[in-house]
Amino acid sequence: MSAIPSPPPPQLAAVRNRTFDELTVGVSASIERTLGAHDIELLAALAGDAAGAIDATGSEFSVAGHGLGGALIAAVLGTHLPGPGATYLAQRLQFHAPVGVGDRLRVSVTVSARDPATQQVTLACTCVNQHGSTVISGEALVCAPTHAIERPRDTLPDVRLRLGG
């Protein structure tokens, strides 16, 4: 007999944005994720980087490992702050240390500036590993939504990689 999964807690059942008017300097959001080999392999496959999955051992500055950090920043921007309805305009990142399989990243974005004339918000972005070291830092520029959007949280598909062509 299999268990029936519990519904998500109310705060996780929906994705809700924050409008430009709700965003003030210092507002932040973050997620945590442990990077698995599957994550690295999937990003390398999507990018067509056959060497990326091999290089992401954590011993060097791997494109796939750092790419996942950048993708997680985008995930925070698209689902938490500002969330749905935001337009991603620019991103600038610096890579300070290797990121690889087994690393647990805390990915945070914090509003650092806002421009009422353009509805644009600058967010400071950081990825900190399980040792407390900042492995990625930078900033993102988004055009914040002007109206509230709330929608049910989607379930992500189970993606499996298959070798061969």
Side-chain angles (χ1 to χ4, degrees):
M1 180 181 207
S2 62
I4 297 172
S6 300
Q11 71 272 22
L12 298 178
V15 176
R16 184 195 181 281
N17 69 357
R18 296 197 195 172
T19 64
F20 181 82
D21 291 336
E22 295 174 303
L23 298 173
T24 58
V25 172
V27 170
S28 65
S30 62
I31 60 172
E32 287 193 25
R33 172 113 182 239
T34 300
L35 304 181
H38 181 75
D39 299 315
I40 302 287
E41 292 165 354
L42 182 58
L43 182 65
L46 287 171
D49 178 11
I54 297 166
D55 291 342
T57 61
S59 61
E60 55 188 80
F61 285 71
S62 111
V63 173
H66 285 115
L68 275 171
L72 291 172
I73 289 169
V76 176
L77 295 172
T79 61
H80 291 29
L81 186 67
T87 302
Y88 210 165
L89 300 173
Q91 182 177 31
R92 181 182 52 83
L93 299 176
Q94 294 85 43
F95 305 107
H96 306 287
V99 174
V101 174
D103 282 342
R104 178 144 189 92
L105 298 182
R106 179 169 183 80
V107 181
S108 302
V109 301
T110 304
V111 176
S112 58
R114 53 193 308 276
D115 182 356
T118 62
Q119 303 284 317
Q120 293 180 0
V121 178
T122 303
L123 298 111
C125 306
T126 59
C127 296
V128 176
N129 69 13
Q130 68 275 13
H131 305 295
S133 299
T134 298
V135 294
I136 302 172
S137 65
E139 66 179 22
L141 180 66
V142 301
C143 186
T146 56
H147 62 282
I149 297 172
E150 184 171 333
R151 64 175 184 235
R153 183 174 296 274
D154 290 332
T155 301
L156 295 175
D158 181 26
V159 178
R160 300 192 187 272
L161 297 175
R162 185 174 47 108
L163 296 176

